[in-house]
Amino acid sequence: MVSSGTAVQLGVLVATVAGLWVGARLLVDSVVRLARRLGLSELTIGLTIVAAGTSTPELVVTTDAALAGLGAIAVGNVVGSNIYNLAFILGVVSLVRVIPIERSLVHRDGVVLVASTLVGAAVMLDLTISRVEGAVLVVLFVAYTGYLLRTGAGPDDSAPDTPGISTQLTERVTFRGRDAVLLVVGLVVVLVSGDLMVGAASTLARAAGISDSVIGATIVAAGTSTPEFAVSLVAMRQGRIGVSVGNVVGSNVFNMLGILGIASVVRPLSFGAVALESVAWLTVIVVVMVAALWTGRKLSRPEGALFAASEVGRWVLGLLGLLG
């Protein structure tokens, strides 16, 4: 028989799924209209505003961990979320629709994604991240974002050059402040729903006898990425390729440079050597993903399925104690 507490948590879980979907719809629709009004491409605004917004849970968790002196959790959250974003979110999204990739995303942002991952890995090799190293990471992130905003104009920049797919808006664009409000409301709904989902799922998992370590390695790691998942999935279903893919790539760059940098500026981070296993895994995933996109300019369903399966495999290895 289901207890009243369990029933409440199940209800919260169902409500948060609905909240994520509604919030993501509001966010994506308002972002696309706002991008057109500001003269920015969907890809640019996905790489910047949407990516920064959906990465708020990672920022909060990582900064809190740094303040508490829990460097392993701070680093683990960033690295784990980045692996999940690329392998699982893009993998699952590609199962909904083959993802055509525009040239600028591969040649510019793909290179930045690889470079930021390698820089982050190099900084972490000595198992510490100092304030100076953190400041350098933040400066690199600000420079990249500034470059995106300065060069991100152009109505055709967000349109994939694969026949049959178009992300151009056909409706008349109007803006009287409503879209800015809807963007904020959608983001708040997504973030709050994601936070409540993690709490409800964790409570149910504990009630089922699952250990905190297992919950942290699965539910919490995936939970902080639920905003990215919801927004990217909704954007892809609407044909907003730039917002969907840009959200994931931008979030990963923001996590590695911005969030890790801010956290280490707040308090220098130190962690165990086991974290380097996850860093190595992330580096492999990033290089393979960018290489696949560079050669084929798309992420097919079979490729997406392999990436998603690799994340499931990482979880299984972690649960078996074979991977840190």
Side-chain angles (χ1 to χ4, degrees), residues 255-308:
N255 287 350
M256 186 61 71
L257 299 181
I259 293 179
L260 204 58
I262 291 171
S264 56
V265 167
V266 169
R267 181 169 180 172
L269 304 176
S270 59
F271 44 92
V274 69
L276 296 182
E277 296 179 9
S278 295
V279 174
W281 189 297
L282 170 62
T283 303
V284 171
I285 289 293
V286 169
V287 171
V288 172
M289 174 70 78
V290 173
L293 298 181
W294 194 289
T295 56
R297 298 279 299 283
K298 66 179 181 179
L299 187 62
S300 66
R301 287 187 173 92
E303 290 171 335
L306 286 175
F307 278 112

Side-chain angles (χ1 to χ4, degrees), residues 13-239:
L13 204 59
V14 172
T16 56
V17 172
L20 283 169
W21 188 260
V22 172
R25 284 292 301 270
L26 289 174
L27 180 61
V28 171
D29 289 345
S30 59
V31 158
V32 170
R33 290 192 295 266
L34 186 58
R36 288 293 184 260
R37 180 67 179 181
L38 296 177
L40 296 173
S41 69
E42 293 175 19
L43 175 60
T44 298
I45 209 163
L47 286 164
T48 55
I49 298 174
V50 179
T54 56
S55 288
T56 301
E58 285 92 339
L59 176 61
V60 172
V61 170
T62 303
T63 304
D64 284 350
L67 288 171
L70 302 174
I73 293 179
V75 171
N77 179 57
V78 167
V79 175
S81 293
N82 277 17
I83 297 173
Y84 183 85
N85 286 350
L86 273 183
F88 195 78
I89 294 180
L90 274 189
V92 171
V93 166
S94 70
L95 297 179
V96 175
R97 172 182 292 178
V98 174
I99 303 177
I101 305 297
E102 61 178 277
R103 184 178 294 105
S104 65
L105 179 63
V106 177
H107 292 182
R108 180 193 64 194
D109 306 303
V111 170
V112 171
L113 178 60
V114 172
S116 64
T117 303
L118 293 177
V119 168
V123 167
M124 288 185 273
L125 278 179
D126 61 355
L127 306 182
T128 60
I129 305 178
S130 66
R131 282 195 171 94
V132 173
E133 291 171 330
V136 170
L137 294 178
V138 173
V139 169
L140 290 175
F141 173 71
V142 171
Y144 170 60
T145 302
Y147 175 78
L148 285 177
L149 294 176
R150 188 169 60 252
T151 62
D156 296 325
D157 183 48
S158 64
D161 50 11
T162 299
I165 301 291
S166 175
T167 61
Q168 297 297 315
L169 291 178
T170 56
E171 68 270 20
R172 179 179 177 81
V173 178
T174 59
F175 180 73
R176 297 291 186 273
R178 181 176 67 93
D179 289 322
V181 173
L182 289 179
L183 186 153
V184 174
V185 170
L187 181 59
V188 169
V189 171
V190 166
L191 294 177
V192 171
S193 297
D195 181 64
L196 292 176
M197 173 181 283
V198 172
S202 298
T203 300
L204 290 171
R206 290 191 182 96
I210 300 175
S211 69
D212 285 347
S213 61
V214 173
I215 293 171
T218 55
I219 296 172
V220 175
T224 57
S225 290
T226 51
E228 287 95 334
F229 196 10
V231 170
S232 290
L233 187 60
V234 168
M236 182 58 67
R237 287 178 60 87
Q238 293 183 352

